[in-house]
Amino acid sequence: MAISNRLPSLVLFSLMVTCAFAEKPIGVTYDGRSMIVNGDRELLFSGSIHYPRMPPQMWPDIIRKAKEGGLNLIQTYVFWNIHEPVQGQFNFEGNYDVVKFIKEIARQGLYVTLRIGPYIEAEWNQGGFPYWLREVPNITFRSYNEPFIYHMKKYSEMVIDLMKKEKLFAPQGGPIIMAQIENEYNNVQLAYRDNGKKYVEWAANMATSLYDGVPWIMCKQKDAPPHIINTCNGRHCADTFKGPNGPNKPSLWTENWTAQYRTFGDPPSQRAAEDIAFSVARFFAKNGTLTNYYMYYGGTNYGRTSSSFVTTRYYDEAPLDEFGLFREPKWSHLRDLHRALRLSRRALLWGTSTVQTVNQDIEITIYEKEGTDCAAFLTNNHTTNPATVKFRGKDYYLPEKSVSILPDCKTVVYNTQTIVSQHNSRNFVASEKAKGLKWEKYQEKVPTISELSLKNREPLELYTLTKDTSDYAWYSTSIKFDRHDLPMRPDILPVLQIASMGHALAAFVNGEYIGFGHGNNIEKSFVFQKPIVLKPGTNTISILAETVGFPNSGAYMEKRFAGPRAVTIQGLMAGTLDITQNNWGHEVGVFGEKEQLFSEEGAKKVKWTPLTGPTNGAVTWYKTTFEAPEGNNPLAVKMDKMQKGMMWVNGNSLGRYWSSFLSPLGQPTQFEYHIPRAFLKPTDNVLVVFEETGGNPADIEIQTVNRDTICSIITEYHPPNVKSWERSGTNFVAIVEDLKTGAHLTCPDDKIIKKVEFASYGNPDGACGNLVVGNCNSAKSMQVAEEKCLGKNSCAIPIEREIYDEPSKDPCPDIFKTLAVQMKCGNKN
């Protein structure tokens, strides 16, 4: 149906639908308050999970854990470049099977937001655009440009038709309740002037013309057309979002960044669970009804899918880490937040809000419905000072930068700053079954210009040369010198200088490796300079130029360039010699890549030699076999002693590694790389590494990964766990007899607590995995923890002073006490 620009006061559109997983007719509507599904207003807790960033065998477990975390909505992009890598040729197999992924979400009873893009950003190669689109004549990406809008509509129509064919939209009984067109276009819109504004209108109308059965959204689009909901992306949308650009649109938060993606060379990215919870609670206190965690599970950029300089690991700091393990307390603290907000649902969705400003830091927001339902948010915005606020005759303690949620306007069930759920720490353990790796190697031949068939006077632009079929391209030229052209003094050498537009290169002179240079995510271009040894006669200069992904953001992406642009030799007797236009040979890819030495059949095409001692060979392939590691824990390969290259297991790409690019902390940004168990066989698994610059594989290690170190850090003023209450109709009731705070710990899977590694009741400090005793500590702390927890899968430790110390022997009676415990979980046997 067509949607008029004249919006009704309550609803833009209403559809009676049959939902396969709900098995009953539902309606999808919205107004200025919320989304309305099946006639009921909904609080929507969503998480971004991308199907190509994990094997399909992981999908059910990741979705299940998201649901256990209190989510009822999954958000995913649709990735154009993986589905149509060659124009007119489509791929929806394996982990590209978006239909199967959406059906799995539906099977588990969750809704879907489908972000079709086609521009997705997502730290994904070329923002999701396939390479061939770049070579369409006269095209300008993301503009009102005839070639672009032709291909964008054609692709969008293909995606929408596929969803309709599979009956995945809500009106057809499927889980898709929202769709997104474009992505954060306001960031670049001004660069396109009038064609930017026209493009926004065109994209919106195109989307709704293809399918108008669900609401369409545009994120970070303050001038979204009337029939499109504009939404917020960021870390603190309660403060940065001015609200939707129409009174009949709900306040939706489509990207709440759970940390930040990393590029090679970056230090770690972190965002505290408390900060995320604070931002979400404030957003819901200010009329928000949907938050989406970007990412909830980040996964892995397998193959060559990540954009410029982005690490292979993606959003590892999300509530579910790269290996699919619970990152605590982030996962559980947000789970508890969702429960607290659901306990407040009736007042939030049907009540009238009022705001009382106590002072410049303290505010009270009340949602009340005709005296029957009441919920309150008590907010302390001060970043360092706690406060006490009086509300309806009672004093409430508010830690710094926190929100307390009172679903009945009386009882604090949750505070964003006080984490009552458990913490954990991740451990990488060398596998016993996969140790003692025996390596073989194969050395790539460095080509000369005569061996490269593609010739040009000067070096060709790298993106256009590779066409995104490889990270690599060889460039080679030759030049003849008389002995009188070369420096006569032994302490002076000529210098090879290569000005490159990015991203990296390895240089060779007469077949010998001389060095490596690279840019970074902020400045892709760089100048490589190394002293070289030249000989009288013919000399060969060869360059292995490298991309580390295509750009994914900004205006005019189709006009970005990479590769060598000027090559000179300095320090010759006649001065500097410019060899940029000396005639160059070119070849895309390296030999081992073309012959697929990483595959079972490809490995047979060359002779591998045993690695018997130290090696530092550049452009070298290494191969080994290993048994599937013990147990069921996730797996990683440790690459900290390698330099830069790519990895495969049983022919499956694990992605790029780059251990030589150190962060300001002096450590690689990433050196553990995920090996999905789905890639493995019981025995004879083949690990192949292509090393570009000269690492040593002797120290490569296959590891198992666990989060068997669990902790609780809890104070006397923490509220009891939010699971202590529930709603029964309009009644808000406690479901436990003794409402007391305490430490609650549960081992993952069916493991039990094998050891209490730390326990202190007093004023301990630190974080899980690094706890320390303060200057106040009860001598019975360890005894109490062991009595309550050893040998159990889960346990509870009370915080009651008399359990730890007699009143006369309390070492510090005048302070708020904290209990910190750390346990080690293990298998029962």
Side-chain angles (χ1 to χ4, degrees), residues 221-389:
Q221 193 64 43
K222 60 186 178 183
D223 58 345
H227 53 298
I228 303 292
I229 305 171
N230 63 306
T231 67
C232 183
N233 290 357
R235 289 193 174 209
H236 294 284
C237 282
D239 300 307
T240 60
F241 187 44
K242 295 181 180 179
N245 65 337
N248 302 305
K249 302 179 182 183
S251 290
L252 310 179
W253 189 352
T254 40
E255 287 190 19
N256 183 353
W257 303 325
T258 52
Q260 189 70 31
Y261 69 89
R262 296 289 80 190
T263 62
F264 288 112
D266 284 346
S269 169
Q270 301 187 35
R271 188 182 179 197
E274 298 93 326
D275 185 62
I276 302 173
F278 177 76
S279 69
V280 172
R282 278 181 55 75
F283 186 70
F284 277 74
K286 292 187 172 185
N287 210 42
T289 53
L290 179 154
T291 188
N292 175 76
Y293 301 105
Y294 191 97
M295 300 288 294
Y296 197 79
Y297 169 74
T300 306
N301 293 314
Y302 296 111
R304 303 173 41 259
T305 55
S306 62
S307 62
S308 301
F309 289 91
V310 171
T311 57
T312 301
R313 171 180 289 164
Y314 190 61
Y315 271 88
D316 182 47
E317 288 284 334
L320 298 176
D321 71 13
E322 182 189 15
F323 303 94
L325 301 174
F326 297 120
R327 180 175 288 281
E328 303 278 27
K330 191 171 286 186
W331 180 84
S332 52
H333 193 46
L334 296 178
R335 173 204 62 194
D336 293 348
L337 170 62
H338 305 150
R339 182 174 177 86
L341 289 169
R342 283 194 173 100
L343 288 172
S344 311
R345 176 177 177 272
R346 290 172 59 89
L348 283 176
L349 292 174
W350 285 277
T352 302
S353 66
T354 57
V355 179
Q356 176 187 349
T357 301
V358 178
N359 56 44
Q360 63 180 4
D361 298 317
I362 308 298
E363 66 181 21
I364 301 170
T365 304
I366 305 166
Y367 284 83
E368 199 156 14
K369 178 178 178 289
E370 299 176 356
T372 59
D373 293 290
C374 184
F377 296 82
L378 311 184
T379 301
N380 178 6
N381 288 303
H382 201 286
T383 57
T384 58
N385 294 337
T388 299
V389 60

Side-chain angles (χ1 to χ4, degrees), residues 299 304 469 487 493 505 579 664 670-671 703 710 829:
R304 303 173 41 259
T469 60
L493 292 175
L505 65 82
I579 60 173
Q670 178 182 357
F671 59 85
Q703 303 174 319
I710 60 174
N829 298 323

Side-chain angles (χ1 to χ4, degrees), residues 448-467:
T448 63
I449 184 172
S450 63
E451 297 168 317
L452 303 179
S453 58
L454 178 59
K455 303 293 197 301
N456 195 63
R457 185 176 180 182
E458 59 189 18
L460 294 169
E461 193 276 321
L462 185 56
Y463 286 150
T464 308
L465 177 61
T466 65
K467 301 186 188 304

Side-chain angles (χ1 to χ4, degrees), residues 476-530:
S476 186
T477 191
S478 64
I479 186 165
K480 194 170 184 177
F481 291 108
D482 185 271
R483 69 182 184 88
H484 297 293
D485 297 323
L486 305 176
M488 298 297 183
R489 289 172 49 181
D491 61 330
I492 295 178
L493 292 175
V495 171
L496 176 65
Q497 176 172 298
I498 306 169
S500 173
M501 296 179 287
H503 297 156
L505 65 82
F508 302 80
V509 174
N510 296 324
E512 295 295 322
Y513 172 70
I514 63 163
F516 175 73
H518 62 87
N520 57 55
N521 185 52
I522 297 173
E523 183 53 69
K524 274 75 173 175
S525 61
F526 64 97
V527 176
F528 170 88
Q529 289 181 311
K530 284 287 182 180

Side-chain angles (χ1 to χ4, degrees), residues 89-119:
Q89 298 180 22
F90 298 98
N91 182 3
F92 290 92
E93 302 297 320
N95 65 330
Y96 297 170
D97 192 343
V98 61
V99 169
K100 182 178 179 181
F101 178 69
I102 293 173
K103 287 183 176 179
E104 177 60 30
I105 296 170
R107 188 187 70 80
Q108 298 203 36
L110 282 72
Y111 296 117
V112 172
T113 299
L114 193 70
R115 308 174 88 184
I116 73 165
Y119 170 72

